[in-house]
Amino acid sequence: PGAAGGRWPAVTRHRPVVRSRIGATDEGEAFLYRAVCGCGWSSPERLARREAAEDCEAHLTETAPPEVRCREPKKHRSDPRDRCALCADQLALPGL
């Protein structure tokens, strides 16, 4: 049981995806790609899918930098892309 009526606090899971649509550009119609996440974040529209995928990676790095991501996802039952409460605040052992 957590806070507020026995419910656990909500955890924001960042799962950005690339969505496409056909839109008008200066040269005519083309596919436009945008990275969107369930947290409400979205990138600007891009002409290349690769650029939108890079926006996804940048968003993941921004929300959960590599040093706070889970190092043992199976053991901690978490996704390796999310911030892990067990791994994030651990200090490295001297000499390792």
Side-chain angles (χ1 to χ4, degrees), residues 21-76:
R21 72 176 187 90
I22 297 176
T25 64
D26 293 340
E27 289 97 32
E29 289 187 345
F31 278 102
L32 300 174
Y33 301 95
R34 173 179 281 182
V36 294
C37 184
C39 69
W41 171 86
S42 67
S43 71
E45 289 185 325
R46 310 285 188 181
L47 289 173
R49 183 178 198 88
R50 178 186 46 79
E51 291 176 352
E54 289 171 359
D55 290 340
C56 287
E57 287 301 317
H59 177 64
L60 286 174
T61 303
E62 179 183 303
T63 56
E67 61 269 8
V68 300
R69 291 183 188 177
C70 191
R71 293 184 293 271
E72 297 183 48
K74 285 186 179 181
K75 188 175 179 182
H76 296 161

